[in-house]
Amino acid sequence: MNDLPVTITVAGHAEREYAPNRCTVALQVHADGATREQAADPVAVAIATVTGLVTELRERPDSPVKRWTFDQVRHTRYRPYNNEGKTLPWRYTSSASITVTFHEFDAVAAFVDRVSGIEAVTVSDLRWWITRKSRQRKLAEVRDLAVQNALDKAKGYTKSLGYNTFRAVAIADPSMLGLPTPPTPYPGGGPVLRSAMRTDMAPASAESGPTFALEPDRIGITADVEARFEAS
């Protein structure tokens, strides 16, 4: 057994996957035409229809919608060119953006199915995420695991020397204790969140509503720390 204390500086790493608790559905409303009315009218009808659907969901006692946003309608025009480079008559476009955030995922598929059938509406994105408070709690859990990983490393390095007492001298974010910063898949060396979404198609039914089910993948949270221990 070695009677002299030794200092070990190690990096700890941990990652865990968690279920998302929010889903934001992003909608794009767009139409164009030879006149301003041909572009604006379908967009106005689509916005009114979507707004009605969202309002219906929001007024439920157990509303699955946490919040929603509506960007103002934009009207533009442009002059296209033909193959010979000559200008053609004006074309008019109208567009708007709508986002709807759900905290009850059972309602997402039905909503996407309904809005997908509205003229001039496109579902541009489904973003599955974790709220800030929930993410901070989960990140704290992963950081604790990263510290434990660092301690396990220190014990592993000194196992053959017979040390059995370890005292933490310093715990720090990556690169703060002078260790080389490992390559990371995210900027700044902070925690990374990863998510994805699977769509499972189901047989069509006249009464069952949507013909698909949305199944979000779990979100990965990663943490890295540096630790210095004194073993004796």
Side-chain angles (χ1 to χ4, degrees):
M1 178 176 178
N2 197 329
D3 294 330
L4 296 177
V6 64
T7 300
I8 313 102
T9 304
V10 292
H13 172 83
E15 57 183 279
R16 290 293 184 273
E17 292 185 343
Y18 298 92
N21 60 0
R22 295 290 185 273
C23 176
T24 297
V25 181
L27 307 176
Q28 293 295 325
V29 187
H30 177 87
D32 61 6
T35 66
R36 188 178 186 278
E37 290 73 20
Q38 289 179 356
D41 290 350
V43 169
V45 172
I47 290 173
T49 304
V50 173
T51 300
L53 293 176
V54 176
T55 301
E56 176 186 335
L57 293 173
R58 289 280 285 176
E59 291 178 349
R60 292 182 183 178
D62 54 345
S63 174
V65 175
K66 190 67 176 178
R67 64 176 179 270
W68 73 293
T69 65
F70 165 58
D71 192 12
Q72 65 179 359
V73 182
R74 293 178 172 82
H75 304 285
T76 60
R77 66 174 184 170
Y78 65 96
R79 292 289 294 270
Y81 296 86
N82 63 14
N83 294 334
E84 298 177 352
K86 295 181 180 180
T87 56
L88 299 176
W90 287 101
R91 295 290 297 179
Y92 296 81
T93 65
S94 295
S95 62
S97 300
I98 299 173
T99 64
V100 185
T101 298
F102 291 83
H103 63 97
E104 294 292 342
F105 295 166
D106 291 342
V108 176
F111 177 77
V112 169
D113 188 59
R114 294 182 69 179
V115 297
S116 297
I118 301 173
E119 183 181 357
V121 175
T122 300
V123 180
S124 60
D125 186 35
L126 270 72
R127 186 170 69 90
W128 307 88
W129 51 286
I130 297 176
T131 56
R132 180 179 300 178
K133 288 183 178 180
S134 180
R135 187 177 72 88
Q136 289 300 321
R137 289 194 299 269
K138 291 171 171 50
L139 179 56
E141 294 174 2
V142 179
R143 282 174 173 161
D144 286 343
L145 293 173
V147 172
Q148 183 61 50
N149 176 252
L151 177 58
D152 291 342
K153 276 187 178 181
K155 290 180 177 179
Y157 287 142
T158 59
K159 182 177 181 180
S160 62
L161 302 177
Y163 292 107
N164 53 29
T165 301
F166 292 82
R167 183 174 66 90
V169 176
I171 303 290
D173 286 337
S175 78
M176 297 294 290
L177 295 184
L179 296 181
T181 303
T184 58
Y186 44 89
V192 60
L193 276 71
R194 303 182 304 276
S195 67
M197 180 270 292
R198 297 191 299 273
T199 302
D200 298 326
M201 302 303 295
S205 170
E207 299 180 356
S208 62
T211 58
F212 58 90
L214 300 176
E215 184 180 353
D217 280 348
R218 296 169 71 83
I219 296 175
I221 299 181
T222 299
D224 293 275
V225 299
E226 291 182 0
R228 183 166 292 142
F229 299 96
E230 185 178 89
S232 58

